Amino acid sequence: MNNIFAYGSISKIPLYDCSALTPEEWSVRDGVRRPLYGIADMTYGMIFNLLYIPILSVLFEKENRKMSCYKIMIFLAIVDMLALWVNSIVTGFLAFEGAVYCSYPYLTYIAGMAGLGLWCCSCVIAMSLVLNRLLDLTYPELGSLMFEGNRTFLMLSISFVYGIYFVVFTPPVVFSSKYHTWFFDPMIFVNRTQEYANIPHGFNNILVVSVTCLLYVSFCFVLGRKFRAASDGNTASKSNKMSTQIFLQSAMICAINQVASIIYVIMNFIDVPFWLIIVGHSMWQFGHGAPALIYLSFNKTIRNGLLRKLGFKRQKVGSAALKESNSAAFTKTN
């Protein structure tokens, strides 16, 4: 974004100058119409955005939003919904049209800035969520110091500022229908890929996501010890199964985001097969959509809240949210 202010407009940025051809000529020269991919992407984005709406209605209930973990989950869900607009709905439209960067430079540049910032922001939010749950189990005093009350919003502001940094000070990703994904190189000029390199993005994908996965492993280890300590001979097997389920859920989420992160770093520097690019993009999409499925499948507070709103379950006396302090951890790492 800083380049927009420096040069006055997107079209005047030298590295994004599309004046050599018309938008239609750029599409014919470099684009590939992918109507099936486009329809599938747009459908995916709309379905998962709709899934998030009832989930947010439960998270915003007064009883739930008092808890720091649910405040983080609310922010994460909103970021995921916005990200799905970029990596699914806008992507689907551009793929359907067979567009490249110069076909819709303003739309692609702005969406690319937003998508990059939202991805990096969600990485830090996910790390905050895991840290919140881990401290609650191991050092509750420190957890209260960092997350109690409005302090949660202070922690979330760090992730917001982190995302804004990528929007303002780093090159955006831009779409190419030829590869059906977003690259830093708009492919306007030959052999100038290195000039579009985004080193902070590589740092985010390798370090931040890896740290979050390590925190998840630590969380699972601590939670397993808690279960074993609280178990007797009759319930040990059940507790071990629960601990294993938690670990598997976290491991799958980490794997999705780690694969997407690594592929996106690699494919911006070297040529990779088309199928691998599609895997990387699908992982990016699923990384923002998977939490909706996980909330509905594994979080009893959210699932019961939805059933109650639909009239299939009666309101229980007491706080259901307080009985499930660990369920909030079954979200993504980003």
Side-chain angles (χ1 to χ4, degrees):
M1 182 181 287
N2 59 329
N3 281 330
I4 299 177
F5 296 117
Y7 293 100
S9 71
I10 294 173
S11 61
K12 292 181 180 179
I13 303 173
L15 286 176
Y16 297 88
D17 182 8
C18 298
S19 60
L21 299 172
T22 66
E24 293 76 16
E25 289 171 335
W26 282 109
S27 295
V28 171
R29 196 191 83 165
D30 297 329
V32 177
R33 291 195 75 246
R34 301 186 186 276
L36 294 180
Y37 276 120
I39 293 171
D41 284 342
M42 287 188 283
T43 302
Y44 174 88
M46 289 186 286
I47 288 175
F48 275 86
N49 265 317
L50 289 173
L51 281 177
Y52 272 117
I53 293 173
I55 291 171
L56 280 172
S57 72
V58 176
L59 291 175
F60 269 110
E61 289 179 350
K62 185 177 181 180
E63 186 180 70
N64 293 330
R65 69 173 185 265
K66 289 179 180 178
M67 300 177 63
S68 59
C69 59
Y70 283 100
K71 291 175 185 175
I72 299 172
M73 290 168 66
I74 289 171
F75 192 36
L76 185 59
I78 293 172
V79 168
D80 284 335
M81 291 177 71
L82 293 173
L84 286 169
W85 272 93
V86 176
N87 66 22
S88 298
I89 298 174
V90 172
T91 295
F93 166 74
L94 294 174
F96 190 90
E97 292 289 313
V100 293
Y101 169 73
C102 287
S103 305
Y104 298 95
Y106 289 92
L107 170 63
T108 308
Y109 194 96
I110 293 171
M113 288 193 305
L116 178 63
L118 290 165
W119 162 253
C120 295
C121 178
S122 69
C123 289
V124 179
I125 300 171
M127 188 162 57
S128 300
L129 181 57
V130 183
L131 183 63
N132 173 272
R133 295 293 81 206
L134 187 59
L135 291 177
D136 187 59
L137 288 173
T138 55
Y139 301 101
E141 297 84 4
L142 180 59
S144 297
L145 180 65
M146 294 178 64
F147 293 100
E148 186 175 1
N150 290 330
R151 294 177 188 142
T152 304
F153 298 114
L154 178 61
M155 297 299 296
L156 290 175
S157 67
I158 295 173
S159 63
F160 178 78
V161 172
Y162 182 75
I164 290 296
Y165 165 78
F166 283 87
V167 171
V168 176
F169 296 107
T170 71
V173 285
V174 294
F175 183 76
S176 169
S177 60
K178 181 178 180 179
Y179 301 99
H180 193 71
T181 195
W182 297 72
F183 290 98
F184 290 107
D185 184 357
M187 303 178 191
I188 301 171
F189 308 105
V190 180
N191 298 325
R192 298 184 67 175
T193 298
Q194 295 300 324
E195 297 182 48
Y196 300 93
N198 191 324
I199 303 303
H201 171 262
F203 168 84
N204 175 84
N205 279 21
I206 300 301
L207 183 61
V208 175
V209 176
S210 298
V211 169
T212 305
C213 288
L214 288 175
L215 286 173
Y216 251 125
V217 171
S218 301
F219 172 79
C220 293
F221 176 75
V222 171
L223 196 59
R225 287 202 312 173
K226 292 279 185 180
F227 281 137
R228 287 193 294 271
S231 299
D232 54 29
N234 296 327
T235 60
S237 177
K238 182 178 179 181
S239 297
N240 288 334
K241 287 181 180 179
M242 186 179 298
S243 180
T244 301
Q245 290 174 354
I246 294 169
F247 175 77
L248 290 175
Q249 293 160 26
S250 302
M252 286 188 294
I253 294 168
C254 286
I256 291 169
N257 291 281
Q258 197 68 64
V259 169
S261 300
I262 293 171
I263 292 175
Y264 261 84
V265 170
I266 293 174
M267 74 185 192
N268 275 280
F269 293 99
I270 64 174
D271 291 332
V272 297
F274 180 71
W275 67 265
L276 188 59
I277 294 174
I278 294 298
V279 169
H281 183 75
S282 299
M283 289 295 185
W284 179 26
Q285 291 176 312
F286 194 55
H288 289 292
L293 297 179
I294 294 170
Y295 293 151
L296 295 173
S297 301
F298 301 109
N299 192 300
K300 290 183 180 179
T301 299
I302 293 176
R303 188 170 62 249
N304 291 341
L306 289 176
L307 291 174
R308 188 177 66 250
K309 286 178 178 293
L310 294 172
F312 295 112
K313 198 174 185 69
R314 293 183 179 180
Q315 174 73 47
K316 292 184 178 180
V317 179
S319 174
L322 293 175
K323 296 179 182 179
E324 194 191 13
S325 61
N326 292 323
S327 292
F330 304 162
T331 58
K332 68 167 192 175
T333 68
N334 224 326

